[in-house]
């Protein structure tokens, strides 16, 4: 077994409405399971289309559809392409990100599980993750009461914290989602910018760990 630095952490930069993140979250969950007790996984939200105000254009829809098909071809996760019949859809991901931030504060150990549920709800079940009521319904099975969730979700503090997290993600150079960093007492290293499979991700992490012991 490889000797590892104390308390290595994987920073998983993601977004609940990111197609490639939808395909990649199972990889992160398997990595966490394989390295249970030796590795911490922390989920951070990236500002993909956060605060968008304009509806998707036909050209943007076409590009998005191509991307979704590529994700499905590579990872086999299901998509409901009836999404593209929606008119006037504003792809604002901030509410979904803020909801996941609430989950990370209230039930940190369940963050990846809720992220997986949000991905499936949006991409496979056509749930509107911009709607606070839909978000409250999604987190309820994870033991988070609607009143508690909505109080935190609508607070000025959490809105500000979300903005600060977006700024932090941008400051470390995570401009592509998903992205993964390895953080140790020796610093932080980029493991992947975009999708990669479990074996490749683990090999990259092992190389970094071996250089730091």
């Amino acid at each position: 077994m490889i000797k590892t630095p104390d308390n290595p952490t994987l920073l998983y930069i993601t977004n609940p409405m990111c197609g490639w993140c939808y395909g990649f979250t199972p990889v992160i969950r398997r990595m966490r399971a394989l390295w249970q007790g030796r590795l911490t996984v922390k989920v951070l939200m990236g500002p993909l289309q956060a605060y968008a105000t304009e509806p998707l254009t036909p050209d943007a829809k076409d590009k998005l559809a191509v991307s979704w098909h590529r994700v499905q071809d590579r990872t086999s996760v299901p998509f409901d392409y009836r999404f593209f019949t929606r008119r006037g859809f504003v792809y604002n991901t901030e509410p979904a990100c803020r909801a996941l931030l609430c989950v990370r504060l209230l039930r940190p150990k369940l963050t990846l599980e809720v992220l997986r549920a949000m991905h499936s709800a949006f991409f496979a079940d056509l749930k509107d993750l911009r709607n606070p009521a839909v978000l409250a319904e999604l987190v309820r099975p994870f033991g988070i009461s609607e009143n508690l969730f909505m109080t935190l979700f609508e607070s000025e503090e959490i809105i500000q914290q979300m903005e600060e997290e977006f700024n932090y993600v941008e400051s470390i150079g995570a401009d592509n989602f998903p992205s993964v960093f390895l953080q140790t007492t020796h610093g932080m290293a980029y493991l992947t910018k975009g999708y990669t499979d479990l074996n490749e991700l683990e090999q990259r992490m092992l190389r970094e760990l071996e250089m730091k012991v």
Side-chain angles (χ1 to χ4, degrees), residues 22-78:
Y22 173 37
F24 187 64
T25 292
V27 173
I28 293 293
R29 293 180 69 248
R30 289 197 295 272
M31 177 76 103
R32 182 183 63 178
L34 285 171
W35 284 75
Q36 187 172 9
R38 295 179 290 156
L39 181 73
T40 298
V41 175
K42 183 174 182 181
V43 177
L44 297 177
M45 273 62 75
L48 172 70
Q49 295 293 320
Y51 312 115
T53 58
E54 296 297 322
L56 288 171
T57 64
D59 183 57
K61 280 187 176 184
D62 289 345
K63 290 178 179 177
L64 197 59
V66 169
S67 177
W68 287 16
H69 278 289
R70 287 175 176 166
V71 176
Q72 189 168 32
D73 288 344
R74 185 158 185 187
T75 69
S76 299
V77 291

Side-chain angles (χ1 to χ4, degrees), residues 94-113:
E94 191 276 340
C97 289
R98 190 174 2 131
L100 195 61
L101 176 56
C102 292
V103 171
R104 200 179 72 208
L105 294 172
L106 296 170
R107 298 285 189 276
K109 292 182 179 180
L110 298 179
T111 306
L112 270 178
E113 309 313 314

Side-chain angles (χ1 to χ4, degrees), residues 50-189:
Y51 312 115
T53 58
E54 296 297 322
L56 288 171
T57 64
D59 183 57
K61 280 187 176 184
D62 289 345
K63 290 178 179 177
L64 197 59
V66 169
S67 177
W68 287 16
H69 278 289
R70 287 175 176 166
V71 176
Q72 189 168 32
D73 288 344
R74 185 158 185 187
T75 69
S76 299
V77 291
F79 287 85
D80 189 333
Y81 293 97
R82 289 178 299 172
F83 170 85
F84 294 101
T85 65
R86 288 176 170 176
R87 295 183 178 181
F89 187 87
V90 178
Y91 211 97
N92 174 16
T93 70
E94 191 276 340
C97 289
R98 190 174 2 131
L100 195 61
L101 176 56
C102 292
V103 171
R104 200 179 72 208
L105 294 172
L106 296 170
R107 298 285 189 276
K109 292 182 179 180
L110 298 179
T111 306
L112 270 178
E113 309 313 314
V114 176
L115 175 61
R116 180 180 65 165
M118 294 174 77
H119 282 322
S120 294
F122 180 67
F123 292 105
D125 300 329
L126 294 183
K127 299 287 186 180
D128 189 350
L129 298 192
R130 304 166 305 170
N131 185 335
V134 171
L135 294 167
E137 182 180 349
L138 273 172
V139 303
R140 190 182 301 117
F142 297 92
I144 301 174
S145 75
E146 183 174 343
N147 287 341
L148 178 59
F149 172 79
M150 291 305 299
T151 297
L152 184 58
F153 179 80
E154 294 175 347
S155 68
E156 289 297 326
E157 291 81 5
I158 204 73
I159 293 171
Q160 178 63 32
Q161 191 171 335
M162 187 75 268
E163 186 174 351
E164 290 171 357
E165 183 157 315
F166 287 156
N167 290 337
Y168 172 74
V169 165
E170 290 181 334
S171 76
I172 62 175
D175 55 2
N176 194 70
F177 313 116
S179 286
V180 178
F181 292 83
L182 178 67
Q183 189 174 48
T184 69
T185 53
H186 300 281
M188 192 157 59

